[in-house]
Structures are given as structure tokens and as C-alpha cells.
Amino acid sequence: MFSINENYLKLNESYLFSTIESKVNGFTRNHPQADIIRLGIGDVTLPLPPSVIAALHKAVDEMADKSTFHGYGPEQGYAFLRETIAKNDFIDRGLDIAADEIFISDGAKSDTGNIGDILGDANVIGITDPVYPVYLDTNIMRILQSSITSSKILFLTCSEENKFLPELPPKRVDVIYLCYPNNPSGTVMTRAQLKKWVDYALENESLILFDAAYEAYITEDDIPHSIFEIEGAKSCAIEFRSFSKNAGFTGLRCSYTVVPKALKTVTSTKKEVSLNALWRRRQSTKFNGTAYIIQRAAEAVYSPEGRKEVRSMVDYYMQNAAIIREGLAEKGWTVFGGVNAPYIWLKCPDTTDSWAFFDRLLQECHIVGTPGVGFGLKGEGYFRLTAFNSHEKTLEAVQRIKNWKQ
Amino acid sequence: MFSINENYLKLNESYLFSTIESKVNGFTRNHPQADIIRLGIGDVTLPLPPSVIAALHKAVDEMADKSTFHGYGPEQGYAFLRETIAKNDFIDRGLDIAADEIFISDGAKSDTGNIGDILGDANVIGITDPVYPVYLDTNIMRILQSSITSSKILFLTCSEENKFLPELPPKRVDVIYLCYPNNPSGTVMTRAQLKKWVDYALENESLILFDAAYEAYITEDDIPHSIFEIEGAKSCAIEFRSFSKNAGFTGLRCSYTVVPKALKTVTSTKKEVSLNALWRRRQSTKFNGTAYIIQRAAEAVYSPEGRKEVRSMVDYYMQNAAIIREGLAEKGWTVFGGVNAPYIWLKCPDTTDSWAFFDRLLQECHIVGTPGVGFGLKGEGYFRLTAFNSHEKTLEAVQRIKNWKQ
């Protein structure tokens, strides 16, 4: 009988947000009148900005005409978008990243999930706890099969004691996932703090997988928007960026990944290998590029109008973050994040069972959040709220929580 | 030092079509005046049909308004599209496939490439030779690492002797890739021929991965459009379908994969596992759904107008196929395919070196095709031409070949 990848049986039966969706659907079936406010999944709610809509319509019209139709594009993404990104997100900020170090894809979830394809099974993987579940789940899917123990994953605790910033690993790790601004805790690393990790990686010849999907939410000066602001990072890091949370592309699907040409390792036979070449090979074999019309939409994000529109969307959400953070603090709850990130991470009041808190908040306040334990064992006792709903709904949610007699 | 997946070093340095692209670019740099006719990569050239364009514009407008904006969609695809597919492609044709057995994605290349994620390392894989390179390359990437030999891949020869239809394997295989109508040879299997494979899979408890990306090109009656037309296939097969070649979505990116709920296997501890559940877990963890606007575009393919438009595009390409097939036969070349598929597979005249033939055809006729050896060792000596260019260019290409003094 053919066999399956049995690592899958070591996973929770469903992905965290699918579980939440089922619970919410169950509740609304029994309470069809309930006015549910969703502060759970990190999905945006504002429509796409006008310059993106205009770019989409224009590109759709191109697809209707034989002389401007676009079929298969380059798997790595069109040069017009990669060059625009290189200039705006890197070169103009003094960072030396070239267009051929940028790979356009359909989402940071795909790329952070698929990056393991090019890595060896023997790597010890450092993952923060709590963490965005995709990093952990995709490693469970990939590497446990060929090892007896789970010692290949080292959890780096993030807790109130260390302000949700992990300490350097007590033993060597080969690959480290870092996400800053952080999902779920909303915390950030300063340049000095991130430099410690880059230095660690350089010293230990480790690889940092840096998820910067939330960089647009940074409001404070000393917080790096890209790991490549740190000297030496081009030799030890891959960075994931997304148009989902800044420009509202969660339903449009576009992101990019930076794999510097300076990033190299050696094989078991001491042959030097470029990760840029490996990722290019992976993408050209297992991916056929992001839709042309969507790459044109992403390009529009960098137009003068597009920038203004995106700025105003981010500001809107960050006002929500302030409403939640301040409202809950006024109620006396302990809150983190929400200053440089669209996530508020709170200590569950009166319980350490974050699913119980989820259920009560849903049933008694009709508010959906995300239980901290869904992000890892060390997330137990905490809870994530997101700033992506409307002002009105966010104010209403905070008011409900303030009036709530737990 | 962190390690990489060293299977990648066993691959050709670049994906077949990337290599061809480089060769063509090199030629055009030196011959900027040459009027190159591309009959190489299987990319469409007609613009998107009007009903698809209208659906795209309408969906883009929805994304511009807060009340109709769509953020994250279901990872498996929207129900409106899955239900439309289930009804039109299966139920209306007497096949019992339900919407929850259908998974929408961004391309059959992604899905045929990623399907290995849910399969075990121990499977012996049957792959035809010649073959669409993605099946082979993705298996090299995935399974060789944990085995010393390459005995896990069994090549099933397709040659003139067997009319490019493989014999049943001489020894048991666990997983079999079949693509009919076939890329690259343009051949098809009748119901009786495909039934032999389904019976083999049922008897040997093997899994068939059936790529039906070209089903819209079938013109003859006794050729199955779906493997699920064969009794028992729901217990042993996964089917891949695409909107690329029928509706011209190569630049829009949409496909679907059918994983029947009846498809099960057992683990090493004899636990029964549903592949539908595994693939759902894979997709919800490593993929975030196809863009809403593109799923609306795919839905429009099934509207009465959309169907007519798609039919007329397919007919257009099939007229090209006839032009090539008949023109080359008139020249006295040996040709296969082109009746139920947009591919013509020809025996290289006067040489068994298909790259040499590629170079001569490019240099002397300014025509780009695909060397058979790019699809496998048994493809050596053959050459693939595609029907996706315009009538005018196709006629011109055939005329150039007819005038060619090799």
C-alpha cells in the first residue's frame, strides 16, 4: 500500500485559524442574532486603495487584447516589480539589495512554509514560543520523519520575563525563525537587539529566516524595517515581506522574499552553494509566478498616490491598536504590543486557560480573538487581538470588554 | 554550518524551459532582426475571453468597496467556484465528485509539484519517460535524500514501439504519475487503456496522480476527460485540472485538484488516513488561497458565454495543431499527437540529438521548439511543437520548415 508522510499525524488536526472559524460558525448557528466582532485572524477590512484598483483595471484590460496579453511570466516575478521593490524598499533606504535577489510570490505564508524545501533534514531549527504556527507546522511536516526524536526543533521561550524577546539559544541552532514586528506578541527588536542575532548567526554559521510582514506598522525610530539594515545580514539571512498587511492584499495574494546572493553554505562534500540559486530552482520547478495583474497592483503600491493611501490605511489600523491597548489597560488588564504592530497581546485576566478565555469572550462579549496557546505552549495564558477591524467595531468591542463582568 | 537539501544538486542546474529561454535570448541578442516563432513552451497567445474579463472587472470593483471587499478566502477555495466545478465538470457528466473534494490553487504546476509533501519517502514512484519535468524534478528534490540509491523512481518507457503509452510496470510501484492527453507526446489513453491502470492501482494499492490539464483538447469520443470516469478511480486517484490551457489562464494562475474522500491508505501502525484530509492540512498550512478576483474569473469560464468562448479558443489552437501535424507529415516527417492535444511530437529527421535539432531549427528557421530529451532520456531523438501560436505564425512556421533544406 502506498505510504503517506506520517509527520502529518503529529500535527493538530486542523490549522489554528480553521479551528477558530469552526468554533465561530458553531456559535453563530446557535446565536444567529449575535453581532460578532472579529479581532481574531489578522485579516484587513479596508478595501484596496484607489491606485491599486486602477492598476488592476488597467492590467485586466491588457489581458483582453492580444497585443498586450500576458501568459506565463517569469517564475521569479516580473522585472518591473522586482526593480521597483529593490529601489523603494532597499536602495532608497541605503540598503544594497538587487532585483535578482528578490522573488515575487503569492504570499509570505507560502514562502515561509516552502522555504524548508531547500534546507537539509539535519538542521536544528530554532523557533520562538509563542510563534506564527506556520513555521512550526511546516517543520513538523518536513523534518521529523527522518529523525526519531523531536530534538531538531529548539523552542526559544518568549515570556513576560524577557519582554517576549527570546534569549540567544543555549546551544547551537542551524536555522532560526524570527518575526519582527512580532506576530503574535506585537513586540519589536531594536537595531542593537537584532544585531545580537545577526552576530550569533555569523559566528555560528546559522541561517536566519526573518519575517518582516509587519514592517509597515513600525512607528518608532530605532526599529529596523529590514534585517538587511544590520551589517553582515546578507551573509546569513533570508527576509520575507508581504503586501497583505500594508496594502490590504490578503485577498489578492502577493509577497516577496529576499535571498541575497552573498548567502552561501557548503555541502557535505564542501562544495559552496548559493541559496539564491537553490530558491530560484525551487520556485521555477514548483511555482509558475504570481498573476501579472496582481504584480501590476503591487507595483502601484509604490506610486506617490499608492504610498499615501497605504500610509493612511496603516495609520487607521494603528489608531485601532491604540484604542484596544489603551482601553484594556484602563480596565486594568496587562497588555503588550500595539505600538509598532497591529497586534495586542494580553494576559488573560483571571485564567491561564486561553481557550476558555476565547470561549467566554465569544459567548459573553461576542468578540473573536486568538488564544495564545494556539501559538505555542508558552502562549498559554495570553490572548491576541488584532487592529484590523473598523474604528466603530473596535470602539464597540473595547466598550463591551470594559462593561464585561468577568 | 547550516545544511541544504542536497537533492537539489542532483538536478539539472536550471529548469528545462529556463534553459530554452536563455538560449533564445542569446540568439536574439546576436540576431536582433530575426523573426522568431515560438512553438516551444506551452503558453497560450489568445487574450482572455470577454466573459472572463468582465468577471475580473466586476470582482476588482468589489475589492474597492468596504462592503464587498474580500480579504483572506478559504484556503481550499471559495464554495461558489468549487460548487460550479463539481456541477459542470463532474455531476453534469454523471460523475459523483463533491465540492469538498475540490481544492482550488494557483496552478497545476504548484499542485503536481507539492503533492509529494503528503506522501511517504518509502514509496516507489512510477514516472513515464518522456515526462513533464516537474514530476521528476520534484521527486528528486524530495525523496532521494533519505535513500542511497535512486531505485525509488521507476521509469516507464514511452516509445514509438508502444505508441508512447507505457506498459504496466514490471514490478510494483506505489505512486504513478499519468498525464493524458499527454505532455509532451500529445497521445491519449482510451477508456479501456486507462481502466488497465486503475485496475492495476486498485490491485496493488497504488496511487495514481492523474494530470488532466489538457482534457479540453480531446476531440475523439472514447477518450476519458477525467480519470473518475473509470470505475474505482475514486479509491486510487488524485486528478489535477487547470484553467491555463482551456481558458488562457497561464498568466492569471488558477487550477484545481480533486482528492476524493474515498481515497485512503493506512499508516505503518495500520491507522486509516484520508488523503483529502492530509491535502487540506497541507494547503491550509502552506497556502492562503487563490485571489478572489481570479476565482471569480474561473467561475465565468462555466457561464454559457464563457463556455462558447473557451470552445472557440480551443478550436483555434486545434486548427493550428492540424496545420503543424499535416504540414510536417507532408514533408515526410514522422509525427504523433495533435489530434486530442495541443502538442505535436515529431521524430527528429536525420539526427537523434534533439538539442542539436533545437539549435538548427532556431538558427536556420528561427523557430523555437522543445527538445525531446528535455522530457527524459527516452525523449531523445524527438521534438515537441505546440499549437499555441497564431494561425498566421503557425502557417509561417510550417512554411519555413517545408522550405528548409536540412
Side-chain angles (χ1 to χ4, degrees):
Chain A
M1 202 150 200
F2 70 91
S3 69
I4 55 126
N5 176 348
E6 297 195 7
N7 291 331
Y8 274 69
L9 308 180
K10 301 182 184 119
L11 297 165
N12 296 328
E13 195 142 321
S14 79
Y15 180 63
L16 171 63
F17 294 105
S18 315
T19 308
I20 290 175
E21 207 46 38
S22 302
K23 272 185 176 266
V24 175
N25 289 342
F27 181 78
T28 49
R29 259 197 308 280
N30 295 328
H31 304 82
Q33 308 302 327
D35 176 22
I36 303 277
I37 300 179
R38 289 171 178 271
L39 305 176
I41 197 165
D43 196 2
V44 298
T45 53
L46 292 175
L48 290 174
S51 51
V52 168
I53 293 290
L56 280 169
H57 278 307
K58 181 162 177 281
V60 169
D61 284 335
E62 287 183 64
M63 297 294 279
D65 188 297
K66 190 168 177 156
S67 65
T68 50
F69 173 76
H70 284 75
Y72 290 127
E75 290 98 349
Q76 192 181 342
Y78 281 98
F80 68 76
L81 180 56
R82 289 185 289 107
E83 284 162 9
T84 300
I85 289 169
K87 178 176 188 312
N88 287 273
D89 286 346
F90 298 100
I91 297 167
D92 287 357
R93 294 177 175 205
L95 306 177
D96 179 26
I97 295 289
D100 62 358
E101 298 177 307
I102 292 168
F103 295 80
I104 311 297
S105 92
D106 68 318
K109 186 180 179 187
S110 305
D111 283 2
T112 53
N114 291 329
I115 194 73
D117 281 12
I118 65 168
L119 300 179
D121 284 356
N123 289 308
V124 174
I125 312 284
I127 287 180
T128 61
D129 181 2
V131 75
Y132 175 49
V134 168
Y135 312 153
L136 179 60
D137 285 0
T138 57
N139 275 288
I140 293 175
M141 288 173 175
R142 189 174 66 82
I143 58 171
L144 291 190
Q145 190 167 37
S146 46
S147 76
I148 304 304
T149 70
S150 61
S151 66
K152 287 182 178 172
I153 297 177
L154 184 75
F155 289 100
L156 308 168
T157 299
C158 296
S159 62
E160 271 185 73
E161 288 67 49
N162 60 23
K163 294 181 180 152
F164 296 101
L165 292 180
E167 318 289 342
L168 293 177
K171 65 168 196 168
R172 190 181 170 284
V173 298
D174 297 289
V175 178
I176 306 144
Y177 288 80
L178 293 177
C179 171
Y180 291 94
N182 187 251
N183 175 16
S185 71
T187 53
V188 283
M189 280 193 189
T190 61
R191 272 188 191 80
Q193 286 163 332
L194 186 56
K195 184 175 185 304
K196 279 203 307 186
W197 283 92
V198 170
D199 290 345
Y200 171 90
L202 291 171
E203 195 178 308
N204 289 278
E205 302 183 304
S206 308
L207 171 66
I208 297 177
L209 300 174
F210 191 75
D211 186 345
Y214 299 96
E215 66 80 28
Y217 293 86
I218 293 170
T219 59
E220 294 180 320
D221 279 343
D222 192 34
I223 312 300
H225 288 249
S226 164
I227 196 168
F228 302 117
E229 292 179 33
I230 311 298
E231 203 185 327
K234 287 211 298 182
S235 305
C236 68
I238 290 174
E239 179 164 294
F240 304 94
R241 299 279 279 260
S242 171
F243 294 97
S244 283
K245 307 298 164 90
N246 57 351
F249 276 39
T250 53
L252 213 51
R253 315 304 313 139
C254 196
S255 68
Y256 70 87
T257 290
V258 184
V259 188
K261 282 171 288 187
L263 180 58
K264 293 181 176 163
T265 190
V266 295
T267 66
S268 47
T269 56
K270 305 292 170 212
K271 187 177 140 97
E272 189 177 80
V273 185
S274 149
L275 272 77
N276 180 287
L278 284 188
W279 186 242
R280 185 184 316 273
R281 191 65 170 85
R282 193 269 169 210
Q283 291 298 82
S284 63
T285 306
K286 297 177 86 170
F287 183 59
N288 236 335
T290 300
Y292 170 75
I293 59 175
I294 288 169
Q295 294 191 55
R296 283 293 180 200
E299 180 189 39
V301 169
Y302 296 94
S303 65
E305 273 314 303
R307 286 167 172 283
K308 271 185 232 156
E309 292 159 3
V310 164
R311 193 68 256 154
S312 121
M313 289 164 74
V314 167
D315 288 347
Y316 179 91
Y317 294 131
M318 287 309 284
Q319 287 163 27
N320 291 343
I323 290 167
I324 300 172
R325 197 182 69 241
E326 291 160 16
L328 303 193
E330 277 169 29
K331 193 180 165 81
W333 289 5
T334 306
V335 290
F336 305 89
V339 175
N340 295 292
Y343 294 126
I344 287 84
W345 184 244
L346 62 98
K347 191 169 185 169
C348 299
D350 310 324
T351 179
T352 54
D353 179 343
S354 57
W355 274 115
F357 185 74
F358 172 92
D359 290 332
R360 284 195 62 203
L361 198 66
L362 175 60
Q363 284 155 20
E364 297 172 28
C365 298
H366 302 172
I367 294 171
V368 183
T370 309
V373 73
F375 299 101
L377 288 178
K378 300 292 179 186
E380 183 56 300
Y382 294 86
F383 201 78
R384 191 190 78 173
L385 294 174
T386 78
F388 289 121
N389 215 314
S390 67
H391 279 343
E392 299 67 31
K393 293 280 184 189
T394 304
L395 283 166
E396 162 75 18
V398 170
Q399 200 52 52
R400 287 187 198 171
I401 290 173
K402 282 187 169 174
N403 296 341
W404 187 25
K405 311 267 181 265
Q406 302 122 265
Chain B
M1 203 152 199
F2 69 92
S3 68
I4 56 127
N5 177 349
E6 298 194 7
N7 291 332
Y8 275 69
L9 308 181
K10 301 182 184 117
L11 296 166
N12 295 327
E13 197 143 318
S14 79
Y15 180 63
L16 171 62
F17 295 105
S18 316
T19 308
I20 291 175
E21 207 46 38
S22 302
K23 273 185 176 265
V24 175
N25 290 341
F27 181 77
T28 51
R29 259 196 308 277
N30 294 328
H31 303 81
Q33 308 301 327
D35 176 23
I36 304 276
I37 300 180
R38 289 172 178 269
L39 305 176
I41 197 165
D43 197 3
V44 298
T45 53
L46 292 175
L48 290 174
S51 52
V52 168
I53 293 291
L56 281 169
H57 279 305
K58 182 164 177 279
V60 169
D61 284 334
E62 287 182 64
M63 297 294 280
D65 187 299
K66 190 167 177 159
S67 66
T68 50
F69 174 77
H70 284 75
Y72 289 127
E75 289 99 348
Q76 192 182 344
Y78 281 99
F80 68 77
L81 180 55
R82 289 185 290 107
E83 284 161 10
T84 300
I85 290 169
K87 178 175 186 315
N88 288 274
D89 286 346
F90 299 99
I91 296 167
D92 287 357
R93 294 177 174 205
L95 306 177
D96 180 27
I97 294 290
D100 62 358
E101 298 178 305
I102 292 168
F103 295 80
I104 312 298
S105 93
D106 68 318
K109 187 180 179 188
S110 305
D111 283 2
T112 54
N114 291 329
I115 194 74
D117 282 12
I118 64 167
L119 300 178
D121 284 356
N123 290 308
V124 174
I125 311 284
I127 287 181
T128 61
D129 180 3
V131 75
Y132 176 48
V134 168
Y135 311 154
L136 178 60
D137 285 1
T138 57
N139 275 288
I140 293 175
M141 288 172 173
R142 186 175 67 82
I143 58 170
L144 291 189
Q145 190 166 37
S146 45
S147 76
I148 304 304
T149 72
S150 60
S151 66
K152 287 183 180 172
I153 296 177
L154 184 74
F155 290 100
L156 307 168
T157 299
C158 296
S159 63
E160 271 184 74
E161 289 68 49
N162 60 25
K163 296 182 177 150
F164 296 99
L165 293 180
E167 318 288 341
L168 292 177
K171 64 168 197 168
R172 189 179 172 285
V173 299
D174 297 289
V175 178
I176 306 145
Y177 287 80
L178 294 177
C179 171
Y180 291 95
N182 186 250
N183 175 16
S185 72
T187 54
V188 283
M189 279 193 190
T190 61
R191 274 188 190 80
Q193 286 163 333
L194 186 54
K195 183 175 185 305
K196 280 202 307 187
W197 283 92
V198 170
D199 290 346
Y200 171 90
L202 290 171
E203 195 179 308
N204 289 279
E205 301 183 306
S206 307
L207 171 68
I208 297 178
L209 300 173
F210 192 75
D211 186 345
Y214 299 95
E215 66 79 28
Y217 294 86
I218 294 171
T219 60
E220 295 179 318
D221 278 345
D222 193 34
I223 312 301
H225 288 250
S226 164
I227 196 168
F228 302 117
E229 292 179 34
I230 312 298
E231 203 185 327
K234 288 211 297 184
S235 304
C236 66
I238 290 174
E239 180 164 294
F240 304 93
R241 299 280 279 262
S242 171
F243 295 96
S244 283
K245 307 298 165 89
N246 57 351
F249 275 40
T250 54
L252 213 51
R253 314 302 315 136
C254 195
S255 68
Y256 70 86
T257 291
V258 184
V259 189
K261 283 171 286 186
L263 180 58
K264 293 181 175 164
T265 191
V266 295
T267 66
S268 48
T269 56
K270 306 294 170 208
K271 188 175 139 99
E272 189 177 80
V273 185
S274 151
L275 273 77
N276 180 286
L278 284 188
W279 186 243
R280 185 184 315 272
R281 191 64 169 86
R282 192 270 168 209
Q283 291 299 82
S284 62
T285 307
K286 296 177 86 171
F287 184 59
N288 236 334
T290 300
Y292 170 74
I293 59 175
I294 288 169
Q295 293 191 55
R296 284 292 182 199
E299 181 190 37
V301 170
Y302 295 95
S303 66
E305 274 313 303
R307 284 167 173 283
K308 272 186 232 157
E309 292 158 3
V310 165
R311 194 67 256 156
S312 120
M313 291 165 73
V314 168
D315 289 347
Y316 179 91
Y317 293 132
M318 287 310 282
Q319 287 162 27
N320 291 343
I323 291 167
I324 300 172
R325 198 182 67 241
E326 291 161 15
L328 302 193
E330 278 169 30
K331 194 180 165 83
W333 287 5
T334 306
V335 290
F336 306 89
V339 176
N340 295 293
Y343 294 127
I344 286 84
W345 184 243
L346 61 97
K347 190 168 183 169
C348 299
D350 310 322
T351 179
T352 54
D353 180 342
S354 58
W355 273 115
F357 185 75
F358 172 93
D359 290 332
R360 287 194 61 203
L361 198 67
L362 175 60
Q363 284 155 21
E364 297 172 28
C365 299
H366 302 172
I367 293 171
V368 182
T370 310
V373 73
F375 299 102
L377 288 178
K378 301 291 180 186
E380 183 58 300
Y382 295 86
F383 201 78
R384 192 190 77 174
L385 294 175
T386 79
F388 290 120
N389 215 312
S390 66
H391 280 343
E392 298 68 32
K393 292 281 184 189
T394 304
L395 284 165
E396 162 76 17
V398 170
Q399 200 53 53
R400 286 187 198 171
I401 290 174
K402 282 186 168 176
N403 296 342
W404 187 26
K405 311 266 181 265
Q406 303 122 264

